């Protein structure tokens, strides 16, 4: 057979292209999906028609122009400056800042307490382990709302008045007006302060990354304590010479305190309740993550001469974090959303001052509810994104 005939034979034997016609099963699936999407669309259209009808009956119109109107009411506790002549958009920012403050403080305290209780659950000391068990089983089986009310009405409100305040280290004072703590005084403005703090932070991060890269490449650690200390000292000297930062210490004057920063009773009760309640769940997550690490890891570390504390710090917890991050993220999301219980005790969070007072005064339910939902959705996505980023960094890279 000639070469031309061979190529002709292969050309004729080439398999036919597969048919692109849909099978009966695929057509049924597409039909079901189309019907489902059509039903969803009709449902949304009916809901929108109902909204338009109700708005027309009440002579209301959709829009966010109300955000530029004067609010006309006061807010007892604010993180950012606010007055009664400010707009509803400023009210929104105040509520958002107060919600973020509660969330950050609650997450930090709940994480620290949760790790301590979780490790205590595995302590070889019988009394410590049983005390941690009693804490977990008692706290997590009570409603969070009950925790908030107990800490506000029973614990905080039962403290002595300001003149008989309980002092801790002559710098922290507890009274029925809240908790007064030392605060930072910033005199050079947020812009220069952010510039100096950012440069210092980036320098420390660069040193730590260089030390980690050297350890990964050579197996030898690099001394980071000295350069990091020098950077922090230089930053402090620059800020002090610039007159940009200082510490305001609280002191009792008459029937109140001067200096420092006063945390309202509502803020203190809400943060403590959120931290203690969520710490009980975080403790169980920590315990389960540690127990998920094989016994051979502990035995191998012990055979190298490491004591229990170093085994836990250098071997067990770094591996347990890979198991812990996903459920821990879910607990953080619960804490942020549960901060809306602040309305019960009058703490001016986003739900209280924006969904509550602002909605009652303006009647803009759709706009206010939409903005509030987007805020909580955004906060949840930020926490999830940071958690995924951290999980990506600590993942095991296979070769």
């Amino acid at each position: 057979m000639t070469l031309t005939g061979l190529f002709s034979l292969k050309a004729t034997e080439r398999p036919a292209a597969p048919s692109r016609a849909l099978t009966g099963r695929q057509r049924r699936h597409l039909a079901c999906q189309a019907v489902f999407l059509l039903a969803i669309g009709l449902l949304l259209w009916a809901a929108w028609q109902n909204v338009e009808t109700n708005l027309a009956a009440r002579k209301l119109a959709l829009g966010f122009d109300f955000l530029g109107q004067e609010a006309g009411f006061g807010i007892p506790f604010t993180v950012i400056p606010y007055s009664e002549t400010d707009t509803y958009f400023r009210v929104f920012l105040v509520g958002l800042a107060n919600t973020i403050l509660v969330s950050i403080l609650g997450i930090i305290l709940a994480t620290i307490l949760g790790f301590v209780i979780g490790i205590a659950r595995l302590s070889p000391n019988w009394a410590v382990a049983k005390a941690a068990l009693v804490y977990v089983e008692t706290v997590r089986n009570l409603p969070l709302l009950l925790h908030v009310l107990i800490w506000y009405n029973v614990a905080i409100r039962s403290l002595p008045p300001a003149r008989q305040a309980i002092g801790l280290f002559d710098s922290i004072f507890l009274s029925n007006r809240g908790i007064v703590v030392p605060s930072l005084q910033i005199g050079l403005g947020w812009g220069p302060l952010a510039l100096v703090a950012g440069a210092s932070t980036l320098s420390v991060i660069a040193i730590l990354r260089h030390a980690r890269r050297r350890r990964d490449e050579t197996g030898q650690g690099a001394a980071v304590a000295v350069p990091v200390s020098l950077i922090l000292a230089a930053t402090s000297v620059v800020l002090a010479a610039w007159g940009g930062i200082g510490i305001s210490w609280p002191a009792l004057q008459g029937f109140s305190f001067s200096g420092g920063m006063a945390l309202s009773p509502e803020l203190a009760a809400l943060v403590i309740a959120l931290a203690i309640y969520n710490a009980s769940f975080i403790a169980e997550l920590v315990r389960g993550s540690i127990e998920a690490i094989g016994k051979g890891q502990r035995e191998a570390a012990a055979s190298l001469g490491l004591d229990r504390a170093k085994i836990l710090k250098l071997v067990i917890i770094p591996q347990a974090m890979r198991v812990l991050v996903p459920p821990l993220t879910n607990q953080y999301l619960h804490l942020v959303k549960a901060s809306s219980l602040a309305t019960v005790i009058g703490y001016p969070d986003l739900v209280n001052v924006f969904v509550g007072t602002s909605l009652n005064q303006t009647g803009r339910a759709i706009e206010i509810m939409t903005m509030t939902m987007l805020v909580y959705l955004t906060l949840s996505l930020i926490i999830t994104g940071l958690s995924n980023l951290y999980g990506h960094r600590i993942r095991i890279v296979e070769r």
Side-chain angles (χ1 to χ4, degrees), residues 47-99:
W48 179 251
Q49 291 298 318
N50 184 47
V51 169
E52 286 188 335
T53 303
N54 290 330
L55 290 176
R58 292 167 175 79
K59 297 181 180 181
L60 296 176
L62 290 177
F64 295 91
D65 55 319
F66 74 96
L67 293 176
Q69 300 174 5
E70 180 179 321
F73 63 91
I75 300 178
F77 176 83
T78 62
V79 177
I80 60 177
Y82 171 81
S83 65
E84 295 183 1
T85 58
D86 286 331
T87 62
Y88 285 107
F89 183 71
R90 190 69 176 183
V91 173
F92 169 76
L93 295 180
V94 169
L96 176 60
N98 289 351
T99 297

Side-chain angles (χ1 to χ4, degrees), residues 10-31:
K10 290 186 176 180
T12 57
E13 294 177 354
R14 185 177 301 169
S19 175
R20 295 187 177 180
L22 297 176
T23 64
R25 183 177 182 181
Q26 291 175 333
R27 286 194 294 268
R28 287 193 299 271
H29 286 176
L30 289 178

Side-chain angles (χ1 to χ4, degrees), residues 191 206 333:
L333 297 178

Side-chain angles (χ1 to χ4, degrees), residues 239-308:
L239 291 176
W242 208 345
I245 192 170
I247 299 178
S248 175
W249 299 94
L252 180 62
Q253 288 187 354
F255 295 95
S256 183
F257 290 92
S258 64
M261 178 177 63
L263 305 179
S264 66
E266 295 80 11
L267 173 62
L270 183 61
V271 170
I272 294 174
L274 289 174
I276 290 180
Y277 179 78
N278 287 275
S280 62
F281 292 91
I282 294 177
E284 285 298 280
L285 297 177
V286 171
R287 180 191 61 81
S289 301
I290 291 176
E291 290 186 336
I293 307 303
K295 185 179 179 181
Q297 297 288 329
R298 299 177 179 83
E299 295 174 349
S303 66
L304 296 176
L306 299 179
D307 56 21
R308 178 179 175 82

Side-chain angles (χ1 to χ4, degrees), residues 25-267:
R25 183 177 182 181
Q26 291 175 333
R27 286 194 294 268
R28 287 193 299 271
H29 286 176
L30 289 178
C32 291
Q33 294 174 19
V35 170
F36 177 76
L37 293 177
L38 179 62
I40 295 296
L42 291 175
L43 182 62
L44 293 176
W45 178 81
W48 179 251
Q49 291 298 318
N50 184 47
V51 169
E52 286 188 335
T53 303
N54 290 330
L55 290 176
R58 292 167 175 79
K59 297 181 180 181
L60 296 176
L62 290 177
F64 295 91
D65 55 319
F66 74 96
L67 293 176
Q69 300 174 5
E70 180 179 321
F73 63 91
I75 300 178
F77 176 83
T78 62
V79 177
I80 60 177
Y82 171 81
S83 65
E84 295 183 1
T85 58
D86 286 331
T87 62
Y88 285 107
F89 183 71
R90 190 69 176 183
V91 173
F92 169 76
L93 295 180
V94 169
L96 176 60
N98 289 351
T99 297
I100 293 176
L101 175 64
V102 169
S103 302
I104 292 177
L105 294 177
I107 287 175
I108 293 175
L109 295 178
T111 302
I112 296 174
L113 183 59
F115 266 83
V116 172
I117 300 299
I119 294 174
R121 289 274 281 113
L122 302 173
S123 173
N125 188 306
W126 183 87
V128 172
K130 293 304 179 183
L133 175 62
V134 171
Y135 169 86
V136 169
E137 295 300 330
T138 302
V139 171
R140 71 174 182 172
N141 287 299
L142 295 177
L144 177 56
L145 178 59
L146 185 59
H147 281 279
V148 174
L149 294 176
I150 288 175
W151 280 101
Y152 180 68
N153 294 315
V154 178
I156 303 296
R157 286 302 184 183
S158 63
L159 290 173
R163 299 197 66 177
Q164 287 84 36
I166 301 174
L168 303 176
F169 311 107
D170 292 331
S171 57
I172 301 176
F173 298 91
L174 308 178
S175 68
N176 55 9
R177 296 186 180 182
I179 303 175
V180 183
V181 297
S183 64
L184 293 177
Q185 286 184 331
I186 301 173
L188 73 164
W190 288 103
L193 177 63
L195 180 62
V196 175
S200 176
T201 303
L202 291 177
S203 301
V204 172
I205 292 175
I207 292 175
L208 296 178
R209 293 189 64 178
H210 173 72
R212 181 178 180 180
R213 188 182 304 111
R214 179 181 176 183
R215 184 177 66 250
D216 293 340
E217 294 176 354
T218 64
Q220 298 178 354
V224 297
V226 174
V228 169
S229 300
L230 291 176
I231 291 176
L232 296 179
T235 303
S236 302
V237 170
V238 170
L239 291 176
W242 208 345
I245 192 170
I247 299 178
S248 175
W249 299 94
L252 180 62
Q253 288 187 354
F255 295 95
S256 183
F257 290 92
S258 64
M261 178 177 63
L263 305 179
S264 66
E266 295 80 11
L267 173 62

